[in-house]
């Protein structure tokens, strides 16, 4: 039976917490035999998802919460980043490279998350929030699988 471990954290939707989220999740993920490069990719996935929650989900409102749930199962790492904000009206459009609802943003967050994970799912309901689920294995020879809801 594969060893299993779980981390759940919830924090205020402040941009200052972005670094905390990156480091906390990477430290947790380092229990798996990831390379330094793979840990950097995990940090980018966390940064992009949390930043999307703060910037787009909550329109930079500091009074909301972002939740991260990470699970290690053997050499597999599963990550969920969830907000309870405005949600995404059109997920396919949001996933297009360079699309952003903010002129100050590059619109590459989902592109980076997708390229650094083996599995990505975006579950979003307008006015209820968004959950991004990502998976990565230390044995990086698995096929990529992307789902949108």
């Amino acid at each position: 039976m594969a060893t299993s471990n779980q981390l759940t954290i919830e924090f205020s939707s402040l941009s200052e917490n972005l670094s905390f989220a990156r480091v906390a999740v990477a430290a947790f993920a380092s229990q798996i035999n990831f390379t330094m490069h793979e840990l950097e990719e995990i940090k980018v996935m966390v940064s992009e998802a949390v930043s999307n929650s703060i910037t787009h989900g909550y329109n930079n409102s500091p009074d909301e919460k972002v939740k991260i749930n990470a699970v290690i199962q053997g050499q597999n790492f599963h990550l969920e980043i969830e907000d309870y904000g405005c949600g995404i009206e059109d997920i396919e459009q949001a996933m297009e490279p360079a699309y952003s609802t903010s002129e100050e943003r590059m619109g590459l967050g989902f592109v980076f998350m997708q390229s650094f994970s083996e599995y990505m799912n975006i579950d979003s309901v307008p006015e209820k929030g968004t959950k991004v689920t990502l998976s990565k294995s230390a044995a990086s020879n698995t096929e990529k699988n992307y789902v949108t809801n």
Side-chain angles (χ1 to χ4, degrees), residues 9 22 33:
I9 53 177
R22 286 171 50 95
N33 204 14

Side-chain angles (χ1 to χ4, degrees), residues 77-134:
F77 180 69
H78 306 283
L79 180 63
E80 293 178 346
I81 296 98
E82 186 171 11
D83 68 61
Y84 311 97
C86 69
I88 302 170
E89 291 285 336
D90 186 339
I91 294 172
E92 285 187 37
Q93 182 181 38
M95 290 184 65
E96 290 176 12
Y99 174 80
S100 180
T101 58
S102 170
E103 291 181 15
E104 299 165 7
R105 310 283 296 190
M106 292 175 53
L108 297 174
F110 286 136
V111 173
F112 288 140
M113 286 183 256
Q114 194 172 43
S115 67
F116 294 152
S117 65
E118 281 120 29
Y119 171 86
M120 183 170 95
N121 182 57
I122 302 166
D123 189 16
S124 189
V125 177
E127 304 308 317
K128 297 209 184 245
T130 301
K131 182 192 301 184
V132 176
T133 304
L134 303 156

Side-chain angles (χ1 to χ4, degrees), residues 4 7 13 21 23-24 31 39 58 61 72 87 104 117 122-123 127:
S4 182
L7 166 76
S13 56
V23 171
Q31 297 174 46
L39 287 172
Y58 294 132
S61 172
I72 292 173
E104 299 165 7
S117 65
I122 302 166
D123 189 16
E127 304 308 317

Side-chain angles (χ1 to χ4, degrees), residues 45-60:
M45 290 189 302
V46 170
S47 290
E48 295 298 338
V50 170
S51 180
N52 280 353
S53 290
I54 293 169
T55 303
H56 303 293
Y58 294 132
N59 198 25
N60 294 308

